[in-house]
């Protein structure tokens, strides 16, 4: 697991969610020093962290005695990227917790190492019973309240579907080079690798 890529992702999430920058601009700045092999990991954590920032922050604030001070809000970004990684990647939970604790030191917030460690370990323990395990509630807190209200006013019957669909990952689309193979031949290659695919 690469600490540099996680640091860059946390900086991107902070820039977007706490400073109002665009994610494209933040990625251009913070991922530029990374090796090519780490840029994809940084992008995945950044996009996921930004997408679920409000939901994870709601969860974290429910566990903190008081919200983090403005000067320490980089820690929200560290925690959010770690929570997203726990939920959406195959990295070992203990490694994710360790990397997040290391980032506290990197961001000169050594005092928060124990706090970050405790919050992440609690999340792992409570994974199936945490307050936001209800998908509907989780999707609603992932958006600003004003946006949920706009959706509800415009499409009250479809609100849950709209929120869930907006948070879903788009399907991957591959274009087959017809000069080298056919769609059916490539589908067969994918099937042999146990990769589910269909022509569109």
């Amino acid at each position: 697991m690469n600490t540099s890529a996680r640091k860059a992702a946390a900086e991107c999430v902070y820039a977007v969610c706490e400073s109002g920058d665009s994610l494209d601009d933040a990625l251009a700045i913070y991922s530029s020093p990374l090796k090519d092999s780490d840029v994809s990991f940084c992008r995945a954590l950044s996009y996921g962290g930004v997408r679920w920032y409000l939901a994870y922050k709601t969860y974290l604030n429910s566990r903190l005695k008081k919200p983090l001070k403005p000067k320490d809000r980089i820690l929200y970004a560290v925690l959010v990227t770690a929570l997203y990684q726990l939920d959406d990647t195959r990295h070992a939970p203990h490694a994710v917790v360790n990397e997040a604790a290391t980032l506290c030191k990197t961001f000169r917030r050594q005092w928060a190492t124990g706090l970050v460690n405790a919050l992440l370990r609690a999340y792992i323990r409570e994974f199936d019973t945490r307050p936001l395990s209800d998908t509907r509630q989780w999707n609603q807190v992932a958006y600003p309240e004003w946006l949920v209200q706009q959706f509800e006013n415009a499409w009250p019957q479809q609100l849950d579907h709209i929120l869930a669909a907006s948070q879903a990952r788009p399907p991957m689309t591959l274009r087959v080079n017809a000069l080298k193979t056919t769609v059916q031949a490539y589908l067969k290659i994918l099937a042999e690798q146990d990769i589910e695919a269909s022509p569109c």
Side-chain angles (χ1 to χ4, degrees), residues 59-69 71-80 82-83 86 96-105 109-126:
Y59 169 81
L60 291 167
N61 283 337
S62 76
R63 295 295 184 264
L64 291 166
K65 289 181 182 171
K66 55 185 176 180
L68 295 170
K69 295 176 183 173
K71 68 183 178 77
D72 294 320
R73 288 198 179 146
I74 187 67
L75 294 172
Y76 278 127
V78 169
L79 285 158
V80 164
L83 291 171
L86 288 169
V96 173
V97 172
N98 185 54
E99 287 289 322
T102 299
L103 283 179
C104 291
K105 296 170 189 166
R109 303 292 193 287
Q110 289 88 335
W111 62 267
T113 303
L115 174 67
V116 165
N117 198 316
L119 287 167
L120 294 176
R121 289 189 186 283
Y123 186 80
I124 293 165
R125 275 193 313 275
E126 301 167 356

Side-chain angles (χ1 to χ4, degrees), residues 24 28 30 42 84 126 145 152-153 177 188 190 192 194:
D24 286 340
Y30 296 112
C42 172
Y84 177 74
E126 301 167 356
E145 287 180 34
E152 190 168 27
N153 291 344
N177 184 342
K188 186 178 177 189
L190 293 174
E192 289 168 359
D194 290 327

Side-chain angles (χ1 to χ4, degrees), residues 172 174 183 186-191 194-200:
M172 177 185 271
L174 299 175
V183 170
Y186 197 72
L187 285 170
K188 186 178 177 189
I189 292 168
L190 293 174
D194 290 327
I195 299 172
E196 194 177 320
S198 60
C200 52

Side-chain angles (χ1 to χ4, degrees), residues 155-168:
W155 303 284
Q157 308 302 326
Q158 294 88 13
L159 177 65
D160 291 341
H161 178 72
I162 290 168
L163 296 178
S166 297
Q167 289 294 51

Side-chain angles (χ1 to χ4, degrees), residues 4-34 38-51 53 73-74 76-78 80-81 103 107:
S4 300
R6 289 202 71 250
K7 176 180 183 285
E11 288 171 323
C12 287
V13 170
Y14 177 83
V16 173
C17 298
E18 294 292 342
S19 299
D21 297 343
S22 82
L23 185 51
D24 286 340
D25 290 346
L27 282 165
I29 294 166
Y30 296 112
S31 70
S32 62
L34 299 176
D38 294 327
V39 171
S40 293
F41 180 56
C42 172
R43 290 178 71 82
L45 286 184
S46 298
Y47 275 97
V50 167
R51 182 181 297 121
Y53 189 81
R73 288 198 179 146
I74 187 67
Y76 278 127
V78 169
V80 164
T81 53
L103 283 179
F107 287 117

Side-chain angles (χ1 to χ4, degrees), residues 49-62 80 83 123 132 137-143 167:
V50 167
R51 182 181 297 121
W52 292 105
Y53 189 81
L54 291 175
Y56 285 132
K57 190 173 177 183
T58 298
Y59 169 81
L60 291 167
N61 283 337
S62 76
V80 164
L83 291 171
Y123 186 80
L132 295 173
Q137 184 183 9
W138 191 243
N139 280 331
Q140 286 203 350
V141 297
Y143 295 91
Q167 289 294 51

